[in-house]
Each structure stands twice: as structure tokens, then as C-alpha cells.
Amino acid sequence: MKITSVTVVLVERPGFSPAFVWRKNLPGSDGRTTGAWLVIETDAGITGFAPAGRGVIFNDYVDRRFRDELIGQDPLQREYLWERLWELDRIERFPAGVIGIIDVALWDIGGKQAGLPIYKLMGGFRESLPSYASTVTYSSIEEFLDIADQALALGYPAIKLHAFGDAKKDALLGEKLRAHVGDDVPLMYDGSAGFDLMDAVYLGNALYDSGFAWYEEPMREFSVTAYKWLGERVRIPLLLGEVTDGAHMSAGDFAASGVATALRTSTGLRGGFTGAMRIAHLADAYHLRAEVHGMGLESAHLCMAIKNTTYYESLVWGNPIKLESLLDSNGNVHGPKGPGVGYETLWAESGVPAGLEKFLK
Ligand SMILES: [Mg+2]
């Protein structure tokens, strides 16, 4: 099989409705943006798709670097093509996600050729997995408690906080939430890199006292040393490596330093399915978990294929919140049907994105 065309279809995305905020000092949800779909066609009549969040930037990379690199190549040589893209990254320093977009489209082709969903092609481990409601930042502790009640009533078995970004206030929220939901509901905390070492230590110890299951990315992830110092000062398990550069290689340092109890992995930030599975297997070598970042079909496939993972992340926003459409009433995500990633299955319900009709056969 050979790649015959590489096309970027720009699409206007309306943004989250309602809009939401993250912790202090971070911008909130995107408003209207220009996204894109990557479309890779082949001489076998199989077409691969992948969504891109920053359409204009991605289109520039495809025009200047990727189209010439990909046309004429065998799309099933995913490991080879991943390495070619990694070589280009040395010069271009791609934003996180760019290599992954191409890798996802290549896996979509591979899945369609095999007639299998991606997770079966990667080697399936399970058919369903529990999720957690991953909150945005709400206005007050009282509103967070209300959202927690809603999440549990909808069927979510666990809750992760993206909280205020204030160590004292977040510690108090953790304490109040634990008292509110009781001891049996798994709770997690995501700091979105909001703290320095002193505040990260204070908050980590407070969350440990409130029985939180993991403490995710409390500081920027560029210093393994700083995390080692944090790990020496807190007992709560640390979930690390969501956003750092360097794909599986930097994830390896978080594992080898002994500081990470679990590694983050994803298609979006870790180089597609290929990069995400490298991290999952690397983590498994050290008996670490590889927890999947972010929601959507791609993450659902990873959750079915990775042995050492425990939850699917399902973002909840607005008030009232809704149960994500990929979940059942017990808050479990299931293996997407495919073949490939299965975007066409979603489009059969929601409509084909403008500009893609001509690529669907
Ligand atoms: Mg996170």
C-alpha cells in the first residue's frame, strides 16, 4: 500500500459550550477556533482521518514538511514513519500533538485494512473500563460538592479535581470533598502545574491525609530533580509526564528516577497510538501504571489496549454536568467498534464534518 495524497481540511470549531475556566493564571476553554481534519488517501482505496486542534499551524507543517515526506510511503510502516517525523522534530520543534495527528491517521488506515478497531489491532486487553469525572474549575467549594453529587448520580464511579490553583484552598476542598462523598469514592487531584515545590509539598501531604489516590502534575514537568525532591517529601502517589517534551524518552527519566508512581500517556500529547503504547510498555517494565490523559475515541482505544491502566478520563463542565456519550450508565467506557478509530461511526450520528464528504466512500 502507498500513500497517494495528504490533505488538511480546515474546520471552524465553535468551542466549548458553556465556556469554562481552569485554575488561576491559566486561560479557560477555547472559544471559536480553526481546527482541522487530516486526510491521508492510499492507492488501496483506504482513507485515514485524524482531528487536529490547531488547524492553521498544522496546515503549515503539512505543506512545508509532511506531505513530501509521506507521499509514496507505505502507511502500514508506522514505526518507520514515526521515526521520520521524530527526525523532522529536531529541526521544527513541533508543538505537542503534531506527530500524534499523523500517527492516528496511519493507525486509522491500518485498522480499516485489517477490518479491526485500533485496540484489537494493538492487542486488546479488555472490553470496558471505569471512568472518572474530571472536573473543570468551579466557582466555590460548595459548587464542587454539588458537581460531585451530580457526577456520582450520573454513574461516574470516581472524581478528579482540577481545582483553584491555591494550595490552601485546594487542600480545604480536598478535605471537604472527602467528608462529603465518604471514604469509598476514589478521588484524584490534577494540579495542572500550578505550584512551586513548597506549595506542592503542602498540598500533596494534605491530599494524602484526605485519601486521594493520585497527585497529578503539581509542577511544570521539565525538572525530574524537582519532582525527586517532591517525592522525598510527600507520600501520595505521583502521576507524571502528561505534557513534558521528549515523548517516551522523557517519560523514561520520570520512571528511572523513581519519582513517578504512574506515567501519563495519550495519543494527543505523546505521539499518537505508537508513542502512547511505547510509554505504556515502558511503565509496565517498572510495575508503574500508565494512565490515559483526555477523553474521546482515541483514549477509549488506549484504555482497552493498555494492561496497566485503571481509568478513562471524562471531562465534565458546565452546571448541570452531563454523562459523556461514550459512557454507559455505570460510567464505563467500552471498546469502540471501528474499523480503525471509528470516526465514521460518530459521523453517522452527528453528521459528516464540512469538507470531508468527498473523502468518504
Ligand atoms: Mg492532567
Side-chain angles (χ1 to χ4, degrees), residues 53 101 212 232:
I101 295 161
F212 274 60
E232 288 162 1

Side-chain angles (χ1 to χ4, degrees), residues 160 162 190 192 216-217 242 264 293 313:
K160 187 178 87 175
H162 292 91
D190 188 338
S192 306
E216 178 176 334
E217 198 199 346
E242 177 172 310
R264 222 42 175 145
H293 157 79
E313 177 169 29

Side-chain angles (χ1 to χ4, degrees), residues 137-148:
T137 300
Y138 286 94
S139 62
S140 63
I141 289 177
E142 292 66 35
E143 191 176 16
F144 266 110
L145 300 185
D146 171 37
I147 294 296

